[in-house]
Structure formats: structure tokens, C-alpha cells
Amino acid sequence: MKNITTSPADKNAVDTPPVDEAVDRQWADLLSPARRQLMRDTGLAVGAFALAGLAGPVLAADAKAPTGIPDAGKNFAEPPHKPGESPWGYDTYKQPTPRPAGVRPGESRLPAKPRAYTDIKSYHAHIYFDEDSYEKAALIRRWSAERFLVELGDWNTEPRGPHTTPSFYFGFTTDLFPKVVPWLQLNSLGLTILIHPNTVDPRADHLYYALWVNRSQPVNAFDWPTLEQRKELTVEQIYPNTKPHVALET
Ligand code: ZN
């Protein structure tokens, strides 16, 4: 006798479409064109290595500079040093402990009063993905655009700006915060999402004022100008570009 039961899990089961190989290949190319190209054109790759081999003697000749010390340009990380010796010298253990510039604005003194929350003019949600999770990102992207009037950016299939993995983002106005943020919390599909405000201090927006859905990951905005270093105190503007046509599920 066949046992027919309907569990809550079945009711909520997502209708997963079969993998479309053409779409999958397109994404694989987008996310890792160099690797795909290497696999496809092995002959060319071997040719490139051969060329690199030919270039070898030229590089070796360059290395034989009169001093025998590698060129230490102003952006060269290692100080000049003799072969076989530490580039850092032998006294680093005696160095005093320096304090790096903080990421916390105004940390040198206690504020006289709290900041106005209205200093936040809008928000960005950055959704991070990789070659294994891009379909989840595509679903979040489509669902978001169908439901919210937001400014949806391009696909970034490589690190861009302070974002260290592939990502896409949408900007939203502060009035949407009570809906967009809980919606992303429940619909992240396990992806890492950075939600940062937009104030006059983008460095602090990314490094200090951020919210995360799921695990956080590195955001490389440390070399951005601090609030004190910024010449013009402009705030990122939001220009909504989606056409929402699906009522938000409640
Ligand atoms: Zn952003």
C-alpha cells in the first residue's frame, strides 16, 4: 500500500528547474574566463609558457644590476637588503608598538550627544556569491527587483571596489528599511549580504556602520579617505530603476 503523506516541508518545497547547461556555461565563463580559456585552448597555454621561457634570460640579465640589490622603488614593499639577509634587519623585536589609524570615527573623544539617525540618507545591500552560489544570487536579484522600487546595479563577476568577491547590489531609500532588511534576512538563501548606510563618511559606512546577513567577509575600504580627509562631504544618492509588480508576501 502506498503511503501518501504531505509534510510541511513538501508544501514549502521549491520547484527547482533543471540545470540549464547553456546558462551554466555562460556563468562559468563570466566567473572564471581565464580558467575556462586555459582548459579550452591548452595549445595556446603551452605556447604562452614557451614564450615565458624565452623571456627568462632577459629577466635574468636585468637582475644583474651593478649593485646586486633589487630595485627598491617607492612602492616596493621590501627595503633593500643583501642576499641571504632579512630585508627587515635584525632589530624589529625592539620596535615600539605603533597604533594604526582607527576605523571608528571620532574615537579620540567621547561625543557630547548622539548622532542623528537621519544622517543616514539611504542604504546599499551587497549580495556576495561565487561560482557555486550564483544561481541563488540570481534568484534574490530577480525576486528583489520584482518586489521593491530600488536602484539595482550591474552584476560584478569579479572583485570591485571594496568588495572582495563577485557581487551585485541594490540601493534603497530609508523608508524601505523595515521591509527590505527583514526580507533579506529570510531570503538570503544562505548567501553573505552586507547592508551599509550611506552617510557623508563612506569609509565608516563600510567598515563600522555595517550590518551583515549570515557570515561577514573582508571589505577592503581601509585606504579610503577618512571623514577628516574628505574634501567634499557628498552622500551617495539613490535613483530607483526597477519596476516592481509583485505584491510583497506577508
Ligand atoms: Zn555600497
Side-chain angles (χ1 to χ4, degrees), residues 18 79 86 96 125 168 197:
S86 169
F168 77 89

Side-chain angles (χ1 to χ4, degrees), residues 104 185 206:
R104 302 184 294 278
Q185 286 178 299
H206 286 78

Side-chain angles (χ1 to χ4, degrees), residues 3-249:
N3 200 359
I4 300 170
T5 56
T6 308
S7 71
D10 289 334
K11 277 182 192 165
N12 292 333
V14 179
D15 242 345
T16 310
V19 172
D20 183 326
E21 278 188 29
V23 172
D24 197 45
R25 198 174 306 117
Q26 186 196 6
W27 270 98
D29 283 340
L30 272 172
L31 288 168
S32 189
R35 191 172 61 193
R36 301 280 298 183
Q37 195 69 26
L38 199 67
M39 288 165 66
R40 208 178 292 138
D41 308 328
T42 314
L44 269 181
V46 169
F49 288 133
L51 278 174
L54 282 176
V58 180
L59 289 171
D62 276 354
K64 283 174 193 159
T67 58
I69 296 171
D71 175 29
K74 61 177 178 177
N75 293 323
F76 200 73
E78 279 192 2
H81 63 284
K82 290 178 185 165
E85 289 191 5
S86 169
W88 316 114
Y90 293 88
D91 290 326
T92 46
Y93 71 96
K94 296 178 187 169
Q95 288 175 353
T97 306
R99 189 183 191 203
V103 298
R104 302 184 294 278
E107 66 170 3
S108 59
R109 61 199 183 280
L110 283 174
K113 58 176 184 170
R115 294 269 308 267
Y117 75 93
T118 48
D119 285 354
I120 294 175
K121 302 306 179 190
S122 61
Y123 287 90
H124 281 181
H126 292 269
I127 293 86
Y128 297 117
F129 59 92
D130 59 23
E131 65 267 45
D132 298 320
S133 59
Y134 66 90
E135 287 173 307
K136 290 180 176 178
L139 193 56
I140 296 170
R141 184 180 170 91
R142 179 164 66 80
W143 281 352
S144 307
E146 286 173 349
R147 285 162 179 78
F148 299 110
L149 183 60
V150 297
E151 184 174 30
L152 182 63
D154 286 340
W155 283 110
N156 296 321
T157 53
E158 292 183 356
R160 180 170 177 173
H163 310 290
T164 55
T165 62
S167 67
F168 77 89
Y169 93 99
F170 62 81
F172 56 100
T173 47
T174 53
D175 58 306
L176 286 180
F177 186 94
K179 288 179 179 171
V180 167
V181 174
W183 189 88
L184 285 173
Q185 286 178 299
L186 297 184
N187 292 292
S188 70
L189 308 179
L191 298 190
T192 287
I193 301 176
L194 163 67
I195 298 163
H196 70 78
N198 291 310
T199 71
V200 292
D201 190 351
R203 185 174 186 269
D205 292 343
H206 286 78
L207 298 176
Y208 188 52
Y209 301 140
L211 294 173
W212 291 91
V213 176
N214 296 313
R215 295 158 299 281
S216 63
Q217 69 176 45
V219 177
N220 190 5
F222 291 97
D223 60 350
W224 285 11
T226 61
L227 185 61
E228 294 74 23
Q229 291 166 338
R230 293 196 77 203
K231 292 184 180 79
E232 280 183 55
L233 296 185
T234 51
V235 186
E236 172 108 10
Q237 296 294 305
I238 299 297
Y239 303 100
N241 60 3
T242 55
K243 294 187 168 59
H245 57 275
V246 175
L248 202 53
E249 293 80 1

